[in-house]
Amino acid sequence: MSVSQITTHILDTGSGRPAADVAVVLSVLDGGNWTPVAEGTTDADGRIKDLGPERVPGGTYKLNFATGAYYAGLGTETFFPEVDLSFTVSDAGEHYHVPLLLSPFAFSTYRGS
């Protein structure tokens, strides 16, 4: 398995565990519209290492996380049916890791390594 240029990791901070089986869609902003590039599901460690191509051109990208379905599967109420994180790929040679720290009523993110 090769590692994609864009990867993600979800930690369920409410449970203190990785968020497994969360559907994620990677899209690129193209002419004012979001165009899907790839999709995947987090593994048992809450990670997707092979989301999309090994290299993407510079531009604005978005990760859409199906958080409502994740929490519904746990029988837990959530305020966020989905989380969209948009970010800029400015250097096509760099790796972009975009983690999501998630709880039923809050989330945060940062640029990881």
Side-chain angles (χ1 to χ4, degrees):
M1 170 185 75
S2 63
V3 175
S4 303
Q5 184 176 3
I6 298 170
T7 58
T8 192
H9 183 203
I10 308 172
L11 294 175
D12 183 336
T13 59
S15 69
R17 298 184 178 273
D21 299 319
V22 178
V24 180
V25 177
L26 172 67
S27 300
V28 63
L29 188 59
D30 182 19
N33 296 309
W34 290 106
T35 302
V37 173
E39 58 185 53
T41 303
T42 57
D43 62 17
D45 195 32
R47 297 180 183 275
I48 304 178
K49 296 180 183 178
D50 59 349
L51 181 62
E54 287 185 38
R55 293 283 171 237
V56 296
T60 301
Y61 290 83
K62 173 175 72 172
L63 289 171
N64 173 272
F65 300 88
T67 54
Y70 167 71
Y71 280 116
L74 297 175
T76 301
E77 179 184 356
T78 183
F79 184 69
F80 301 104
E82 62 184 358
V83 172
D84 284 330
L85 301 178
S86 57
F87 55 97
T88 301
V89 171
S90 57
D91 183 343
E94 286 189 37
H95 177 247
Y96 289 81
H97 184 64
V98 186
L100 177 64
L101 304 175
L102 181 65
S103 73
F105 298 98
F107 68 87
S108 67
T109 189
Y110 57 94
R111 177 164 180 197
S113 56

